[in-house]
């Protein structure tokens, strides 16, 4: 992802998360990005389990370390449905 393709708002969000290069995000940074920018609560451990199960966003492995890109996280996030529980819409009735 080139700097020209990153909106100023996204660039600011990345800087607030300590992400300098949108092409190289650690698992912790990817977790923060998904949770805070994309509003998809994702723990670092969840990303680790998904890698083991061959699920989740694409990543690249260099030596023992795994890295994500903002583009890959965005692409994966477009297909995620986040369900929000609303207790006022609960179909179960109180006894």
């Amino acid at each position: 992802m080139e700097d020209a393709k990153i909106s100023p708002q996204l660039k600011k969000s990345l800087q607030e998360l300590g992400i300098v290069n949108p092409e190289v995000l650690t698992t912790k940074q990817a977790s923060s990005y998904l949770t805070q920018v994309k509003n998809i609560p994702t723990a670092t451990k969840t990303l680790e389990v998904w890698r083991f199960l061959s699920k989740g966003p694409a990543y690249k492995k260099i030596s023992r370390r795994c890295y994500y890109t903002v583009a890959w996280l965005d692409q994966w996030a477009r297909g995620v449905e986040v369900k929000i529980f609303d207790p006022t819409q609960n179909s179960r009735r109180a006894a």
Side-chain angles (χ1 to χ4, degrees), residues 23-70:
E23 293 295 320
V24 183
L25 277 70
T26 63
T27 302
K28 185 175 181 180
Q29 290 172 326
S31 170
S32 296
Y33 177 78
L34 289 171
T35 301
Q36 296 176 20
V37 177
K38 292 297 182 178
N39 295 317
I40 301 172
T42 311
T44 55
K45 189 68 173 173
T46 301
L47 290 171
E48 292 168 3
V49 170
W50 284 345
R51 285 196 307 260
F52 177 76
L53 297 174
S54 299
K55 295 173 61 174
Y59 65 94
K60 55 187 164 188
K61 190 168 185 174
I62 301 172
S63 186
R64 291 183 181 182
R65 299 180 186 248
C66 296
Y67 298 98
Y68 298 85
T69 69
V70 168

Side-chain angles (χ1 to χ4, degrees), residues 5 17 30 32:
K5 295 181 181 180
L17 294 174
S32 296

Side-chain angles (χ1 to χ4, degrees), residues 72-88:
W72 292 344
L73 294 172
D74 288 343
Q75 181 182 18
W76 176 81
R78 281 192 287 273
V80 173
E81 177 184 350
V82 177
K83 296 180 182 178
I84 299 172
F85 176 72
D86 183 357
T88 63

